[in-house]
Amino acid sequence: MKIAVVGAGWAGLAAAFEAHLHGHRVTVYESGHRLGGRARSVFSPKLNSELDNGQHILLAAYTRTLDLMRRLGLDTEKLLYPMPLTIASADGNFSLRVPEGIGPLAVPSALLLARGMSTLDKLRLVASMAALASKKWSIAPNVDTHCDHHAGQPAIQGPTVAQWLQHGKQSQRMVRYFWEPLCLAALNTPIDRACAQLFANVLRDSLGAGPEACRVLIPRVDLSTLWPEHLPPEISIARGHTVRQIVHGDAVHVDQDTFDAVIIATNAPSAGRLLEGLPSVSGADAYIQQIQAFQSLPIATLTLDLTKIWDMPEPMLMLTDSPDRAQFGQWLFHCNTFLSTPLGTSRVNVVISHARDLSRWTVRQIVEGVITQIKDQTSRYAPMPSVRAFELITEKRATFAAVPGLQRPKNTTPWKNVFVAGDWTDTDYPAVLEGAVRSGISAARQLSQGWSCDN
Ligand SMILES: Cc1cc2nc3c(=O)[nH]c(=O)nc-3n(C[C@H](O)[C@H](O)[C@H](O)COP(=O)(O)OP(=O)(O)OC[C@H]3O[C@@H](n4cnc5c(N)ncnc54)[C@H](O)[C@@H]3O)c2cc1C
């Protein structure tokens, strides 16, 4: 069977590889010249260096991604820098580290031994996690029968993370120093808008799954080299080719080429545009409306190249942001501790999730604000050397807003032999790499099953 995949992000490439393993002939179309989509490398002329389109981390719970890398013959141990899940503020005032090697006691002991929380805070945190686990990580939804715009069905409106935290009587300090940063890092959506159930799913597969599953894995090479550039040569890849039109009939025409089926693995807005051009069939309008309902939120990453090596041993530290002073940093990564290629000097990445407020400031103000912030908050380490050069990358459509009531489409569409894949499909995860990979694999499997049933 001849298959087209539109989009070479992690979802599209996972779909292409899976379809190839099922014996199909696969062509991937990608607008850009780098593979990996949002999780790709980009060249920075300012730093004269390859950078990622934003610092990414994986978790050991990303089982499908790790399995895919191994099936491509890649050594995940060499390519990923492992560290125990550690939420430690740069200023040393807060720290929670999940110890390894003590089995199921690891997470409760991490919570109880955490620094910077009162005993009452710890007990409430343990109680909230235990209550969630006892309900199989399910948060009771409220059915909003007034909301009937999704294909005539009532939307399931669960609580926001803020409402769930209030219910669990979490203190302001815990919200500020633990829950807010964790929710922003996982969902890129602030707690007063974020869907508690999606957050619970992340907790289930990280803190709730034991110390091994919640181990953090930081790429030691750039994101395109990590695995996207390693697909088998039999998979044909058309780089720099933006698909403008898909025509659906007995066969599927992607621009000028003809295929038996197509997997649209673009972001949600592009998928919506391509599907709008298909002939009207039953359920098409509701399906497209579902896809158009996604809102995007930005993430920015500020990379600083320093004039000297910084003697700062931590790979990843939490920063406390103060957006009113242009101190936007939320996480600080010291790249020299994990990158496999020596850089000659120190490089740090500063992650700014939900980066909507940045537009009110000049780049200079942002860079100066973040440098001051790092210097102030890392004063217990050796002083950070001065900055030689910087790059600020803002990905406007980094993730979808993970809000309650979002109806996420399945991989199958109302059109026969047209499938979709991407982190925005119904994966049970927020917009993350593992969701994208799972979605791609699932789309290719459903396509193959449908084809073998029909023939
Ligand atoms: C800055 C940043 C930090 C992040 N941090 C993390 C993290 O730490 N951990 C984590 O798990 N996730 C993280 N994410 C989320 C993660 O990157 C995404 O969930 C994932 O990359 C989405 O993959 P995808 O394949 O679904 O979509 P995409 O990566 O968006 O891929 C879609 C591809 O389709 C192509 N395309 C679009 N339209 C067309 C067309 N018409 N024709 C041809 N090609 C087309 C695009 O060019 C793109 O390459 C982060 C994202 C960003 C931006």
Side-chain angles (χ1 to χ4, degrees), residues 157 159 187 189 193-196 198 293 295 297 400-407:
Q157 298 282 1
L187 273 65
T189 309
R193 290 188 65 205
C195 170
L198 273 182
Q295 293 165 7
L297 292 175
F400 60 83
V403 294
L406 202 57
Q407 294 205 333

Side-chain angles (χ1 to χ4, degrees), residues 205-343:
D205 290 350
S206 51
L207 284 170
E212 299 309 323
C214 64
R215 191 188 261 201
V216 172
L217 305 172
I218 311 181
R220 304 189 62 156
V221 295
D222 72 74
L223 287 169
S224 294
T225 309
L226 187 62
W227 71 265
E229 294 285 357
H230 294 275
L231 289 194
E234 295 83 5
I235 298 176
S236 153
I237 300 186
R239 299 178 195 234
H241 183 137
T242 300
V243 172
R244 305 276 173 212
Q245 194 185 28
I246 296 176
V247 177
H248 187 261
D250 288 341
V252 181
H253 304 278
V254 175
D255 290 343
Q256 315 306 327
D257 301 320
T258 305
F259 296 89
D260 297 303
V262 61
I263 299 174
I264 301 175
T266 64
N267 57 28
S270 297
R273 278 193 296 277
L274 287 171
L275 291 171
E276 265 181 333
L278 295 179
S280 182
V281 292
S282 163
D285 287 348
Y287 189 83
I288 292 172
Q289 266 175 31
Q290 231 182 43
I291 294 179
Q292 287 170 337
F294 286 90
Q295 293 165 7
S296 305
L297 292 175
I299 302 179
T301 307
L302 175 64
T303 301
L304 304 173
D305 271 6
L306 309 180
T307 47
K308 287 192 279 190
I309 295 286
W310 186 14
D311 186 16
M312 207 282 282
E314 310 292 343
M316 177 181 155
L317 286 170
M318 186 167 74
L319 295 168
T320 306
D321 61 355
S322 308
D324 50 334
R325 290 189 285 157
Q327 299 196 349
F328 288 105
Q330 293 152 355
W331 294 93
L332 174 71
F333 289 83
H334 188 205
C335 305
N336 302 60
T337 53
F338 51 83
L339 287 183
S340 57
T341 319
L343 292 166

